[in-house]
Amino acid sequence: MENKPIKTIQPAERLSLVSEYYFSRKLKEVARLNAEGRDIISLAIGSPDMPPSPQTIEKLCEVARRPDAHGY
């Protein structure tokens, strides 16, 4: 059996433009803040298993009614 040289595959240069996934960075940030004792509510990817509290709904409505809360 002969030993064939191992060929190395070079990644495309454009891969250097790809950055870390946004939510990966956010999860690290949340973990750091939790470790500091901060109480973090994550609104990241996911599907809530419980409805928001009445206070949360009221606050959302309050802010949505503000004329300065819309636009870029």
Side-chain angles (χ1 to χ4, degrees):
M1 190 179 242
E2 78 180 76
N3 289 334
K4 294 183 180 181
I6 297 174
K7 294 184 180 183
T8 304
I9 298 174
Q10 295 291 78
E13 289 181 24
R14 66 182 179 271
L15 283 177
S16 66
L17 303 175
V18 176
S19 62
E20 184 179 1
Y21 182 55
Y22 173 81
F23 285 104
S24 172
R25 291 192 316 264
K26 279 293 152 191
L27 288 173
K28 289 176 186 174
E29 181 181 357
V30 168
R32 178 182 55 79
L33 293 170
N34 280 326
E36 293 173 1
R38 307 274 301 270
D39 188 18
I40 304 299
I41 298 173
S42 176
L43 301 176
I45 302 175
S47 178
D49 59 350
M50 297 175 57
S53 68
Q55 297 88 346
T56 302
I57 293 172
E58 184 55 41
K59 181 54 87 171
L60 287 168
C61 292
E62 176 188 323
V63 172
R65 287 186 195 103
R66 290 181 15 201
D68 64 334
H70 308 283
Y72 293 99

